[in-house]
């Protein structure tokens, strides 16, 4: 009877070890596939637009869907390995993204600080600018973007998932 109990115990441990090996192998394989995200070296630019690397570059938003950003407003962005960070004029933000294909990406999350936004005067007789409205609009537009291209003129153009030009940025 004892020999049978030892045999059952050994079988249990053998099955447990095999199960653990299979689970860890499946987990490793899932990590390797990355759900359609292109493999890349850690130092390469995740937003590869066919031009020079965007990694660590800083940009100022000059247009959103063809509308110029007023001069007193500074919307900025820096490209990092898996985030775009910057300033909305009144808050700091970090937008996490995943690369898709050679030049595409999807933003999975945007976090920002929660400082109150000011209303800025453009001078006597000119309309005021509510930074909160511009911030909200910019962050909504960023969520729609799906690809980026550097131009020969030194600008960075983001396109939405329908291929429409959504954001135009100039290098800082």
């Amino acid at each position: 009877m004892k020999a049978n109990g030892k045999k059952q115990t050994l079988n249990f441990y053998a099955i447990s070890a095999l199960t653990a090996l299979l689970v860890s192998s499946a987990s490793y394989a899932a990590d390797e596939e990355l759900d359609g995200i292109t493999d890349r070296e850690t130092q390469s630019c995740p937003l590869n637009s066919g031009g020079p690397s965007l990694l660590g570059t800083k940009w100022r938003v000059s247009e959103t869907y063809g509308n110029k950003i007023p001069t007193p407003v500074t919307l900025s962005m820096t490209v990092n390995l898996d985030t775009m960070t910057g300033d909305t004029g009144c808050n700091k933000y970090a937008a996490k993204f995943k690369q898709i294909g050679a030049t595409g990406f999807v933003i999975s999350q945007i976090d920002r600080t929660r400082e109150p936004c000011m209303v800025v005067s453009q001078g006597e007789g000119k309309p005021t600018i509510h930074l909160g409205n511009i911030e909200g609009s910019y962050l909504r537009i960023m969520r729609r973007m799906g690809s980026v291209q550097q131009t020969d003129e030194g600008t960075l153009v983001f396109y939405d998932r329908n291929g429409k030009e959504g954001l135009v940025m100039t290098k800082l």
Side-chain angles (χ1 to χ4, degrees), residues 47 103-105 144-149 157-161 163:
L47 290 178
T103 59
F105 67 93
R144 295 183 204 143
M145 299 301 104
S147 64
V148 63
Q149 178 184 17
V157 181
F158 283 81
Y159 297 92
D160 64 21
R161 291 188 267 309

Side-chain angles (χ1 to χ4, degrees), residues 28-48 81 98-104:
Y28 178 76
D31 287 344
E32 289 298 307
E33 291 175 23
L34 298 174
D35 298 322
I37 299 171
T38 304
D39 291 332
R40 65 179 190 267
E41 296 176 15
T42 55
Q43 295 303 314
S44 67
C45 181
L47 290 178
N48 181 6
L81 195 55
K98 294 180 183 179
Q99 183 178 357
I100 299 175
T103 59

Side-chain angles (χ1 to χ4, degrees), residues 6-26:
K6 285 183 182 178
K7 189 174 181 182
Q8 286 178 337
T9 302
L10 285 174
N11 283 342
F12 172 77
Y13 286 119
I15 290 171
S16 296
L18 183 60
T19 302
L21 180 62
L22 290 173
V23 167
S24 67
S25 295

Side-chain angles (χ1 to χ4, degrees), residues 97-165:
F97 66 87
K98 294 180 183 179
Q99 183 178 357
I100 299 175
T103 59
F105 67 93
V106 63
I107 292 180
S108 59
Q109 174 183 342
I110 297 180
D111 295 316
R112 67 176 173 89
T113 57
R114 301 283 181 183
E115 297 298 319
C117 296
M118 298 176 13
V119 175
V120 178
S121 172
Q122 294 190 79
E124 193 173 321
K126 294 182 180 177
T128 58
I129 301 170
H130 192 292
L131 293 179
N133 293 341
I134 291 176
E135 173 185 80
S137 177
Y138 171 64
L139 295 176
R140 281 189 300 279
I141 290 169
M142 275 201 68
R143 287 187 187 278
R144 295 183 204 143
M145 299 301 104
S147 64
V148 63
Q149 178 184 17
Q150 289 186 71
T151 68
D152 292 335
E153 294 80 36
T155 59
L156 193 61
V157 181
F158 283 81
Y159 297 92
D160 64 21
R161 291 188 267 309
N162 295 320
K164 187 172 182 182
E165 188 177 286

Side-chain angles (χ1 to χ4, degrees), residues 58-101:
K58 297 179 182 187
W59 303 86
R60 180 187 184 281
V61 181
S62 55
E63 292 180 31
T64 60
Y65 283 105
N67 300 307
K68 300 266 187 221
I69 300 297
T71 305
V73 179
T74 302
L75 299 172
S76 65
M77 179 197 72
T78 301
V79 179
N80 302 300
L81 195 55
D82 63 353
T83 58
M84 292 178 273
T85 59
D87 193 326
T88 64
C90 56
N91 282 291
K92 305 284 184 211
Y93 71 91
K96 291 190 77 114
F97 66 87
K98 294 180 183 179
Q99 183 178 357
I100 299 175

